[in-house]
């Protein structure tokens, strides 16, 4: 079964509002989680690496004030899209590593994804 | 540096046809290799993986062999089904870091 869960799976909001997406590791502790963005018919783009108890590491070109990441516990990371605009509409996917399950392979476990539509 | 190059799609096949999706990689160390599948509107699911040279990953009739000499990890299935329609991503990971590299994805559509 799923080991990483995202919520909500779909969200529609008005331009200018903020939206929070949650990513939970269900039965393991994830000191690091990753947030990806996926445009239609394209691959995943790593936005940031979320580290429990410290600041997230953002990839070049990703606005940290626009995409706020908080990793307050070992099982929860949140992505908040602040003052959302239509160009922020996208599919956002989180992932995490479960070091016990992956047994050193580096495998990532992905959430179901969250479809954000900004009107 | 590390990278993954994947066959571009879209690919359209008839049911029961043979599938190959090419994937080659560049890595500085000894990566693990993965194929992930993304069904419409969903996140990514691991399809199969291989962690060292000559390993063969297999799942649901799909196979891929880790070929170090050709730096390849091609995905194959002998007889595709309509339910295999999805986007397939080749990826590599090096355990020494938190780096994970994806190919661009290949969209597969299987028609009855």
């Amino acid at each position: 079964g799923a080991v990483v869960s995202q919520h909500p799976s779909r969200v529609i909001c008005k331009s200018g509002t903020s939206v929070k997406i949650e990513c939970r590791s269900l039965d393991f502790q994830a000191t690091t989680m990753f947030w990806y963005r996926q445009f239609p018919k394209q691959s995943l783009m790593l936005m940031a690496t979320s580290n429990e108890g410290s600041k997230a590491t953002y990839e070049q070109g990703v606005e940290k004030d626009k995409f706020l990441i908080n990793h307050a516990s070992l099982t929860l990371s949140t992505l908040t899209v602040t003052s959302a605009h239509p160009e922020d509409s996208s599919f956002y996917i989180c992932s995490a590593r479960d070091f016990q399950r992956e047994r050193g392979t580096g495998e990532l476990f992905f959430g179901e994804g969250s479809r954000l539509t900004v009107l | 540096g590390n990278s993954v190059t994947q066959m571009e799609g879209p690919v359209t096949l008839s049911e029961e046809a043979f599938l190959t999706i090419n994937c080659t990689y560049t890595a500085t160390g000894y990566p693990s290799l993965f194929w992930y599948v993304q069904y419409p509107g969903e996140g990514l699911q691991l399809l199969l993986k291989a962690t060292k040279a000559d390993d063969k990953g297999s799942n649901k009739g799909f196979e891929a062999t880790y070929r170090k000499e050709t730096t390849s990890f091609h995905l194959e299935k002998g007889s595709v089904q309509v339910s295999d329609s999805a986007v397939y991503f080749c990826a590599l990971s090096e355990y020494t870091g938190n780096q994970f590299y994806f190919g661009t994805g290949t969209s597969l559509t299987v028609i009855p």
Side-chain angles (χ1 to χ4, degrees):
Chain A
V3 298
V4 176
S5 179
Q6 261 182 266
H7 177 80
S9 58
R10 294 180 183 274
V11 56
I12 300 172
C13 69
K14 292 183 179 179
S15 189
T17 60
S18 294
V19 173
K20 181 185 285 188
I21 300 170
E22 294 185 345
C23 179
R24 294 182 184 274
S25 56
L26 296 182
D27 62 357
F28 67 99
Q29 295 181 334
T31 54
T32 303
M33 291 185 175
F34 306 92
W35 286 97
Y36 292 86
R37 182 174 181 177
Q38 186 180 32
F39 293 100
K41 301 188 188 300
Q42 295 190 26
S43 189
L44 284 74
M45 180 190 78
L46 179 65
M47 298 174 65
T49 301
S50 170
N51 304 296
E52 188 268 336
S54 64
K55 291 182 179 180
T57 304
Y58 289 83
E59 296 299 303
Q60 193 170 8
V62 177
E63 299 176 61
K64 60 181 179 182
D65 294 330
K66 159 68 89 174
F67 299 100
L68 297 179
I69 291 173
N70 184 285
H71 195 153
S73 79
L74 286 170
T75 59
L76 174 65
S77 176
T78 60
L79 168 68
T80 301
V81 183
T82 62
S83 186
H85 290 283
E87 57 266 31
D88 299 324
S89 299
S90 195
F91 195 57
Y92 294 88
I93 308 176
C94 73
S95 68
R97 291 179 69 176
D98 180 351
F99 291 95
Q100 286 194 328
R101 271 194 181 86
E102 63 156 280
R103 299 183 182 181
T105 63
E107 178 183 345
L108 282 181
F109 296 89
F110 287 86
E112 307 91 331
S114 299
R115 171 77 57 194
L116 170 63
T117 302
V118 184
L119 303 177
Chain B
N2 297 336
S3 66
V4 176
T5 302
Q6 192 175 337
M7 182 174 102
E8 290 200 18
V11 174
T12 302
L13 295 174
S14 297
E15 206 165 22
E16 299 184 3
F18 184 86
L19 168 71
T20 300
I21 301 178
N22 289 339
C23 172
T24 56
Y25 68 90
T26 304
T28 53
Y30 301 94
S32 294
L33 301 174
F34 307 87
W35 278 100
Y36 281 87
V37 58
Q38 184 179 32
Y39 297 103
E42 298 184 14
L44 274 68
Q45 302 174 27
L46 178 69
L47 181 59
L48 53 85
K49 65 183 176 185
T51 58
K52 60 183 187 298
D54 300 325
D55 267 3
K56 178 187 283 188
S58 61
N59 185 27
K60 300 181 181 180
F62 290 89
E63 292 184 341
T65 302
Y66 189 143
R67 301 279 188 206
K68 196 164 188 291
E69 63 276 14
T70 54
T71 61
S72 65
F73 193 55
H74 304 322
L75 181 68
E76 297 182 336
K77 185 173 185 181
S79 176
V80 293
Q81 305 300 311
V82 172
S83 57
D84 294 327
S85 298
V87 179
Y88 293 82
F89 291 94
C90 185
L92 76 81
S93 173
E94 291 204 270
Y95 183 71
T96 51
N98 272 325
Q99 296 298 315
F100 207 84
Y101 300 86
F102 284 100
T104 51
T106 302
S107 174
L108 170 67
T109 301
V110 180
I111 54 177

